Structures are given as C-alpha cells and as structure tokens.
Amino acid sequence: MNPPLLQFNDKGIYCQQADVYLDPWRPVTNAIITHGHSDHARWGHQNYITHYTNVPIIKHRLGDINVTGKNWNETFTINGVKFSFHPAGHIIGSAQIRVEYKGEIWVFTGDYKTEDDGISVPYEVVKCHSFITECTFGLPAFKWEPKADVMTEINNWWAENRAEGKTSVLFGYSLGKAQRLLKNLDINIGQIYTHGAIENMTNIVRPMIDLPPTIRVTAETKKEDLLGNIVIAPPSAHGSTWIRKMTPFVTGTASGWMAFRGARRRRAVDRGFVLSDHCDWTGLLESIKATGAEKVICTHGYSDIFSKYLRELGYDARTAHTQYEGETNDSEEN
C-alpha cells in the first residue's frame, strides 16, 4: 500500500515523493512555507520556497537564507509532484499549499481566514480530495463580528481616551495584526506611535500595502508627545518597563480570544476587542464544505472537538499533532 501523499512526522508535514516538507518545525533540506509567523517559518532549513510577498518577511525574521519566491497559482514540480500557492487571507503573504500527484490533490492551509482584512490577498477556495485545516477557533462559541464594526469600536475607544487626556496602548502581533490595525485606524483622531518591533515589521511590508504614517517610540519620546494618541505594541510589551513612560494610559488587546469571558482580565488589559486573523467556527465549516474534500485532517487548536463534529457530518476526519500555535503565542513575531 502506498503511503499518503502527505504524512506527519517528527519534523513536519512530509511529501515523500518530492522529499520536501511543508512548514517543518525541525531543520530539513527543502521546506515549503505558508507564511511568516514564527511557528510556521523557522530557522535552519537549507532551502525555502514561499510566496514572493513572504520572501522579505522571512528574510527579515530569519536572516540570510536561501529562499525562492513563487506567484499565486504558479505550478512548480518536484519529482513529479505539482505544488502551487493560493491565498490564505491570514496575514500579508500567507498562502495555502496545493499538492497534486497522479490526480490526487491535497491542500494544506497553514493558517487562514475567510474575511477580507484589506491588507492580505483574500482567501481562495481550492478544490481537493484531502484538506489539512487549522482549528485555532474550532468551537461554536467563536463567531466574529464584521471587521468594520470592530474597528469602529477601537476608533471610538481611542477617541474617548483622547478626550480624557490619556494615551491608548493597543496590543497586537507585530506581523499581521498590527498592520491590520494600522490600516483601519482613524488618523483624524490623532497620531499613531509604534513599538520598535511593530515599526520594523511595518517598514518591511510598506512597499506592499498602503499604510498610514507612524512614529517609532524611542528613548527620546516624551510622555507629553503620546497623550491622546495611540501606541501599537506587541503583547510582550505589556507590563514591561517600556510601557511606563505612557502614563496615564489605557490598554486594549485585539485578539480572537477576547470572545472568551475572563480573557481580558487574565491578560490584565482595560479593554478587549474581538479581532482575529483566523477563521471562526462558521468560517471553518464553510471553507471545508467549499473544497469538496472528503478527508479532513485537523491540526492546531480545538482539533479533537472539531474533528469529532466533522465525523458527525459524514467527513473522514482525524487529528494530527503539530508544533503550530495559532493565536496562542504572545511573542512579538506571531
């Protein structure tokens, strides 16, 4: 019996026929990468292949690597196996990987979302026989409000804080979430300041997307400069000595986890905004149905619960262990 086209082992998702890995978490010779977050694009591989818009992102993060960029829907063949990248809508440069061999088609999503965020190429349905999906928010409790409504909440919060003479400090991951926030902030309210990690990553992606002006917070930045304005910072900055110069400030976090009661309190922030770069429950189910796949492999997130529900719907569904972290890692790079 032939092995599956894609297999999970201790290094990552392996295509034996092509001798290549998809988003491997241990060093390998050949790696095809879905996007630039640190749990999917890791240092140590000999050769990287990714979408060309992700090339400067992973070079910024990983340094001098041997990387090749491909276009959307561009087919490249390795030992008879056809690969191509298709938009995942997760963050800038994020892709699904389509794998085809002898008429059998698999799709690995990496991370993805179906709502157009205005900065990523929107998610594209790719028909396949087997679909590897994340389940970061694979519970019925997760139901996202439209992006425009959430950004209105954020801008109103900022305006209220400005009226009270306070600095607004909003936490979001430096790659993806931060640029999504920047794209939709109302610059008529005030100026946008950024933590160094946010500013560095934003400068990498500015050539790809239109973003408003930002000001880096430095040692010379005065508290008076920040009053009434907004500061975008990574979650790791919360509670650090860096944030003390913001006083008086009000904190907020933009994350899908804010949908959970108590999440804001656990993160010790004043306000939580439900804004995720992953699919909600409905988005996952609709995406899977649209692919036409019969076999579904559920990875990081609520994979056990979600795969059980898929089996009840009639899918051949199972879980697979990975080292991907979804939206659980509060590092500056995720």
Side-chain angles (χ1 to χ4, degrees):
M1 190 178 198
N2 293 329
L5 182 56
L6 296 180
Q7 306 169 70
F8 291 76
N9 63 29
D10 62 349
K11 293 183 178 179
I13 303 173
Y14 183 53
C15 179
Q16 181 177 322
Q17 177 64 29
D19 191 21
V20 68
Y21 281 84
L22 314 185
D23 286 2
W25 46 83
R26 291 184 179 173
V28 300
T29 302
N30 300 305
I32 303 179
I33 304 298
T34 60
H35 66 285
H37 278 156
S38 58
D39 55 333
H40 289 259
R42 305 194 184 214
W43 184 85
H45 311 313
Q46 291 185 32
N47 304 295
Y48 295 76
I49 302 174
T50 192
H51 188 262
Y52 77 91
T53 54
N54 192 39
V55 170
I57 293 171
I58 64 173
K59 278 190 169 183
H60 169 71
R61 286 197 51 251
L62 303 177
D64 185 19
I65 58 172
N66 183 25
V67 57
T68 301
K70 302 290 184 179
N71 286 305
W72 299 123
N73 298 288
E74 177 185 351
T75 299
F76 54 101
T77 303
I78 305 173
N79 198 28
V81 182
K82 297 178 181 178
F83 298 90
S84 55
F85 291 110
H86 303 264
H90 172 55
I91 61 167
I92 303 156
S94 62
Q96 305 170 82
I97 302 171
R98 183 184 184 274
V99 186
E100 180 180 356
Y101 183 64
K102 293 184 176 180
E104 182 182 358
I105 301 169
W106 288 59
V107 168
F108 170 49
T109 61
D111 290 325
Y112 68 112
K113 70 173 179 293
T114 54
E115 182 185 34
D116 184 357
D117 61 14
I119 61 171
S120 311
V121 178
Y123 173 81
E124 173 188 307
V125 174
V126 183
K127 297 289 186 178
C128 58
H129 303 105
S130 299
F131 191 63
I132 303 174
T133 180
E134 59 143 312
C135 309
T136 303
F137 294 106
L139 289 179
F142 294 110
K143 173 68 175 174
W144 308 147
E145 296 297 324
K147 172 199 69 178
D149 293 350
V150 180
M151 287 309 307
T152 296
E153 286 182 35
I154 291 174
N155 283 314
N156 288 343
W157 171 75
W158 177 16
E160 291 165 4
N161 296 336
R162 182 178 179 86
E164 295 175 2
K166 297 177 180 178
T167 300
S168 301
V169 182
L170 185 58
F171 300 112
Y173 300 132
S174 64
L175 172 58
K177 187 68 63 65
Q179 292 76 37
R180 188 178 181 188
L181 293 169
L182 291 174
K183 180 69 175 178
N184 294 282
L185 287 173
D186 183 356
I187 58 175
N188 294 313
I189 298 173
Q191 292 180 307
I192 304 171
Y193 284 79
T194 55
H195 183 282
I198 304 289
E199 188 71 11
N200 291 342
M201 185 58 73
T202 298
N203 286 337
I204 296 297
V205 303
R206 276 193 186 278
M208 309 176 207
I209 52 177
D210 182 29
L211 294 171
T214 55
I215 305 168
R216 182 192 299 263
V217 176
T218 67
E220 287 71 42
T221 305
K222 297 180 176 61
K223 177 176 67 175
E224 293 74 22
D225 298 334
L226 301 172
L227 290 177
N229 294 313
I230 193 167
V231 180
I232 308 300
S236 59
H238 191 25
S240 68
T241 56
W242 176 86
I243 204 173
R244 292 176 187 170
K245 71 162 58 184
M246 314 292 171
T247 306
F249 62 85
V250 182
T251 56
T253 290
S255 169
W257 296 111
M258 292 299 107
F260 267 166
R261 286 185 179 181
R264 177 180 61 81
R265 184 177 65 254
R266 286 193 298 273
R267 295 200 183 192
V269 292
D270 300 308
R271 185 73 179 270
F273 302 99
V274 183
L275 189 70
S276 177
D277 289 326
H278 299 259
C279 288
D280 62 5
W281 172 263
T282 301
L284 289 169
L285 291 175
E286 289 179 348
S287 299
I288 291 167
K289 182 178 180 181
T291 66
E294 296 178 355
K295 182 177 182 179
V296 182
I297 300 176
C298 303
T299 63
H300 51 302
Y302 290 97
S303 54
D304 290 334
I305 295 172
F306 191 68
S307 63
K308 181 176 183 294
Y309 184 75
L310 290 178
R311 289 193 293 273
E312 291 173 357
L313 294 179
Y315 289 96
D316 176 7
R318 67 177 180 87
T319 64
H321 175 71
T322 69
Q323 291 188 18
Y324 311 133
E325 298 170 327
E327 202 167 292
T328 62
N329 181 7
D330 281 351
S331 73
E332 293 178 3
E333 300 293 353
N334 199 356

